[in-house]
Amino acid sequence: MTWKTATGESGEVVLVDDDKWTFGRSGGAEENTVSTDDPAVSRTALVIRDSGPGPVVFRGQIDNGAKVALISVIGSTTWLDEGTAGNLSAEENRVEFSMGDEVLITVDVTFDNRGTVIERQQAAE
């Protein structure tokens, strides 16, 4: 996955097994993959975890005017409410985190569809 912030910072990371990528205000119990000093951003505002069949996006951000969008390759948008999660797919693979009218971070995720966790556990047996 690749990410880019509104300030121009960017990076790339590979998630495997139960790895997770996090964005939020610095100072929490765990260090975020990408941190901000914005006091309106929650400590674990956005979490992306490797899962099956595709990655899961969790919105931990309290309201504060924030929006988290899962965006498809054709431009359709699914909005995540506070405390909810959504699955990424081959068609819906971009995440945008906004405060007001400013997109603070954009994350593009590419992955292989690996089947559900149950399907992978059954295959291992």
Side-chain angles (χ1 to χ4, degrees):
M1 55 190 275
T2 59
W3 52 270
K4 183 173 183 173
T5 67
T7 59
E9 296 174 78
S10 62
E12 185 172 340
V13 66
V14 175
L15 300 180
V16 293
D17 299 326
D18 284 329
D19 289 349
K20 66 181 176 180
W21 177 94
T22 57
F23 168 73
R25 189 175 73 242
S26 52
E30 293 182 30
E31 190 172 322
N32 291 314
T33 309
V34 181
S35 295
T36 182
D37 291 329
D38 187 334
V41 175
S42 298
R43 294 199 198 294
T44 53
L46 191 62
V47 176
I48 300 175
R49 184 177 290 275
D50 180 39
S51 187
V56 173
V57 179
F58 175 73
R59 177 189 167 164
Q61 172 67 32
I62 57 172
D63 186 18
N64 281 353
K67 295 182 228 168
V68 174
L70 306 182
I71 302 171
S72 75
V73 293
I74 62 169
S76 62
T77 303
T78 300
W79 299 99
L80 289 183
D81 294 326
E82 178 182 342
T84 62
N87 285 81
L88 293 176
S89 66
E91 293 80 31
E92 200 169 57
N93 62 355
R94 173 173 278 186
V95 181
E96 286 186 352
F97 180 94
S98 305
M99 294 292 277
D101 293 332
E102 182 181 13
V103 177
L104 297 183
I105 193 162
T106 302
V107 184
D108 289 305
V109 183
T110 56
F111 58 94
D112 294 327
N113 188 329
R114 300 170 307 151
T116 66
V117 172
I118 292 172
E119 290 169 341
R120 287 184 285 154
Q121 288 173 341
Q122 289 172 342
E125 293 173 357

